[in-house]
Amino acid sequence: MPPFASNEPLTDDELDHLGRFLNDCNGGEAMNIEELDGFFAALIAGPESVAPSEYLPEVFGSEKSDSHQFESLEEANEILGLLMRHWNDIAGTLSRREVHLPVIIEDENGMGLGNDWARGFIRGTRLRQDGWAELLADDARGGCMIPMLMLYHEHDEDPTMRPKPISAEQRENVIESMAIGLVGAYRHFRQLGKSSASARGPHPPYISNKIGRNDPCPCGSGKKYKRCCGGATIH
């Protein structure tokens, strides 16, 4: 039986709810839902596992693991639960060698640009930069990164880094290629056996339905919940 089989993917309403929370988090410094999806995808596909205490500050737009705090224990359970379910959904899809469809936010014209997803993905690679650099340097396999780099650099301040103008039709193809490239990166690192979790990829920590105030914080900081994420309000 494949891992993560029992995970329930987030509904559209739950994705919207999580997105609204992130938009209001730390004065708008947190990732949006599209960037989060790309960020998680890179962490899951990458060369080794990354602990929540390392990546959650990036998600919430803070500098340390004890600075993303919630209004209540119930809100912490809800938001952290949604995050871990989304992580599990991506991990389960990739572990079954299936394509994870990027979560793309449509603009006012109903078009999904994919730039935020690419930014989140590249941001995730930087947490394990050496391993990803090896993939980029691999002539046979490094091409899977080209779609992400195209959208990441599309509006680069350095004009020499920008790709040629991307039409609407080409953009759809680039976004599809990002999804396929993600599978290629995942397979590359699993075939090399570099994952510190298992050949099937890093498994996220289990978050129970309820967190006690004296329990270890699920962010992985090592502190009690009341001294970490459950201590105050995000503003």
Side-chain angles (χ1 to χ4, degrees):
M1 178 181 295
F4 317 108
S6 62
N7 184 72
E8 183 180 352
L10 299 190
T11 65
D12 289 343
D13 286 344
E14 287 173 328
L15 279 172
D16 289 342
H17 177 61
L18 180 57
R20 287 192 296 272
F21 176 86
L22 292 173
N23 287 340
D24 294 336
C25 185
N26 279 345
E29 294 298 318
M31 296 180 178
N32 64 29
I33 197 71
E34 179 178 328
E35 189 176 2
L36 171 75
D37 190 66
F39 183 67
F40 274 9
L43 297 182
I44 292 165
E48 59 184 273
S49 60
V50 181
S53 57
E54 185 175 355
Y55 68 72
L56 282 179
E58 299 272 343
V59 171
F60 292 121
S62 56
E63 296 182 354
K64 52 186 179 179
S65 61
D66 61 354
S67 61
H68 48 272
Q69 300 170 330
F70 301 90
E71 292 184 350
S72 66
L73 188 63
E74 291 73 20
E75 182 179 65
N77 275 300
E78 178 185 28
I79 297 302
L80 292 172
L82 292 176
L83 287 170
M84 290 302 101
R85 277 176 54 201
H86 191 58
W87 174 291
N88 285 347
D89 185 37
I90 300 171
T93 299
L94 293 177
S95 75
R96 296 189 295 271
R97 303 300 193 265
E98 297 174 359
V99 174
H100 167 68
L101 299 178
V103 175
I104 305 295
I105 299 174
E106 294 184 349
D107 63 13
E108 62 275 10
N109 298 315
M111 177 177 290
L113 301 179
N115 301 105
D116 285 348
W117 198 94
R119 278 191 285 269
F121 186 90
I122 297 301
R123 192 169 173 179
T125 67
R126 289 173 176 165
L127 294 186
R128 294 297 182 269
Q129 194 163 349
D130 289 346
W132 286 99
E134 291 179 11
L135 172 58
L136 274 173
D138 189 316
D139 291 337
R141 298 176 182 268
C144 67
M145 295 287 289
I146 291 176
M148 294 77 152
L149 292 171
M150 285 179 64
L151 293 186
Y152 177 77
H153 289 294
E154 185 177 12
H155 306 292
D156 201 295
E157 293 182 359
D158 183 352
T160 64
M161 297 296 294
R162 300 174 199 157
K164 294 180 180 179
I166 303 172
S167 68
E169 182 177 353
Q170 289 172 330
R171 188 175 301 278
E172 290 183 5
N173 292 333
V174 172
I175 292 174
E176 290 177 3
S177 297
M178 283 200 309
I180 296 170
L182 172 62
V183 175
Y186 180 89
R187 289 177 176 174
H188 168 77
F189 289 119
R190 297 311 165 281
Q191 288 169 1
L192 286 180
K194 289 186 176 180
S195 171
S196 62
S198 72
R200 287 179 172 176
H203 192 295
Y206 174 73
I207 291 183
S208 64
N209 292 329
K210 294 184 178 180
I211 306 171
R213 289 186 59 77
N214 290 312
D215 290 340
C217 189
C219 80
S221 66
K223 300 180 181 180
K224 291 184 178 181
Y225 176 75
K226 66 182 180 181
R227 300 295 184 188
C228 192
C229 294
T233 303
I234 293 180
H235 284 301

